[in-house]
Amino acid sequence: MTNPYWPLLIMFAAALVLALGGLGASAILGPTKKSKIKADNYECGVDPSGQYADEGRFPVRYYLVAMTFIIFDIEVVFMYPWAVSFNMLGLFGLGAMLTFIALITVPYIYEWRRGGLDY
């Protein structure tokens, strides 16, 4: 009698071997010379701001752009299944989605007021 969990265990073992193998290969084959430039903070080309550059602080605008991505990404993830089953949900589904969109609008307005959309 075979155990139905064998494929799951094999997949877990393969993922573990790949993860540890990648870490081991990068430790063995990767460059090892340390420098100030390599150890410096880097976030998508945004330099640390003003007087806090030595501490590695980044401007708020960087985080607001990330928040925008998360807001719209989550919105699309929830709106797609709703759109697919729109006919079955009826008015209840429409009301739930309007409530969801209203709640998603709150962080969007916050970001807009903080200047996250000004470039």
Side-chain angles (χ1 to χ4, degrees), residues 5-20:
Y5 290 107
W6 276 112
L8 185 63
L9 292 173
I10 291 171
M11 186 178 70
F12 179 73
L16 187 65
V17 166
L18 283 173
L20 294 177

Side-chain angles (χ1 to χ4, degrees), residues 66-105:
M67 187 187 306
T68 302
F69 171 75
I70 290 171
I71 289 169
F72 289 113
D73 191 42
I74 290 172
E75 186 174 2
V76 169
V77 165
F78 283 111
M79 287 183 79
Y80 184 75
W82 170 77
V84 169
S85 61
F86 177 74
N87 289 335
M88 293 187 320
L89 294 175
L91 286 177
F92 174 75
L94 180 63
M97 188 49 63
L98 289 176
T99 303
F100 175 71
I101 290 172
L103 290 174
I104 287 293
T105 304

